[in-house]
Amino acid sequence: MIAIFLKSLIIGYSGAVMPGPMFTYTVDKSLHHGAKSGLLVSAGHVFLELILVILIYLGAGKYLTTDTAKTIIGLLGGIILVYLGFGMMKEVYLNQISLDPKSSKDEKQGSMLLAGIVLSASNPYFIIWWSVVGLALIMNAYASFGIMGVLAFYIGHIISDISWFSFVSVLVSRTRSLINLKVYKVIIVALAACLIFFGVSFFAASLRYIL
């Protein structure tokens, strides 16, 4: 069972460290709200993963990989990411950001938890990974140790997510004091552009299924 845990941990890190909407959003929120952001965003992410593990275990994985599911997830996810990206640019344009965490807009912890869920659910590649790779790993863990094997797999996976995004958040929050306001705004705009790019990519990929 230790082997399943370690395998899940390593595979989890290989996915977590790849740049994507979650990483981009975590960096943005860490600049605004400090080191707690990574933990909160990843908590929403791992909650959705728990739901997916349960659904896949119950046999729903095959429905998540259908063209209809890919299209709906991609279209809605693309819209959400573009909306978040333009929202970040709007804050820069209206000069609503600050390097002082006390003067930045308060954001309830629940909103970052929810964002972790929404950003994960809006990424069609996240759903596909869990429906294909995740399914194989879950079934292998179950065949070896039953429900305890599945639990070991899930714990290993979420530790990789939480530890990585928490590390990113702490690193960003500790170094933001070295950044001046102009550079800070450039970083926010760049992160926003990344979110918009991801959103357009998801949307375009979904249109290919429709056409």
Side-chain angles (χ1 to χ4, degrees):
M1 196 147 58
I2 295 177
I4 290 176
F5 171 83
L6 292 175
K7 182 179 180 180
S8 176
L9 185 69
I10 294 169
I11 293 175
Y13 275 125
S14 70
V17 300
M18 293 299 291
M22 272 276 295
F23 178 84
T24 304
Y25 183 84
T26 300
V27 172
D28 173 59
K29 292 305 172 187
S30 300
L31 286 168
H32 279 76
H33 304 288
K36 66 179 181 180
S37 305
L39 179 61
L40 292 170
V41 175
S42 60
H45 176 76
V46 301
F47 174 76
L48 179 63
E49 288 182 324
L50 174 61
I51 301 300
L52 281 177
V53 167
I54 294 172
L55 290 176
I56 290 171
Y57 177 75
L58 296 176
K62 59 184 178 180
Y63 300 108
L64 297 174
T65 55
T66 62
D67 287 348
T68 300
K70 293 176 184 176
T71 302
I72 293 173
I73 293 169
L75 291 175
L76 292 177
I79 293 171
I80 291 170
L81 292 179
V82 170
Y83 172 78
L84 289 173
F86 277 112
M88 289 164 62
M89 287 189 174
K90 180 182 176 183
E91 287 186 356
V92 174
Y93 178 75
L94 297 177
N95 200 30
Q96 294 178 335
I97 62 173
S98 170
L99 286 169
D100 181 5
K102 294 181 180 179
S103 62
S104 60
K105 292 191 303 182
D106 290 333
E107 182 159 351
K108 294 180 179 179
Q109 294 185 358
S111 65
M112 281 189 269
L113 284 167
L114 179 61
I117 297 173
V118 172
L119 285 168
S120 301
S122 64
N123 187 342
Y125 302 108
F126 170 81
I127 304 296
I128 292 171
W129 187 93
W130 273 102
S131 302
V132 180
V133 180
L135 172 62
L137 293 171
I138 290 170
M139 291 300 99
N140 179 63
Y142 182 76
S144 300
F145 298 100
I147 193 65
M148 294 305 295
V150 176
L151 183 61
F153 161 77
Y154 175 72
I155 292 174
H157 188 85
I158 66 172
I159 286 176
S160 67
D161 288 328
I162 294 174
S163 60
W164 169 250
F165 288 109
S166 295
F167 167 75
V168 169
S169 189
V170 170
L171 182 64
V172 171
S173 64
R174 291 284 178 85
T175 57
R176 66 180 174 180
S177 60
L178 304 176
I179 303 172
N180 63 44
L181 188 58
K182 288 184 179 180
V183 173
Y184 181 45
K185 289 182 177 181
V186 171
I187 292 174
I188 298 300
V189 170
L191 293 172
C194 288
L195 280 184
I196 293 171
F197 171 77
F198 288 128
V200 172
S201 298
F202 293 166
F203 199 89
S206 297
L207 289 179
R208 285 199 292 270
Y209 286 112
I210 296 174
L211 299 176

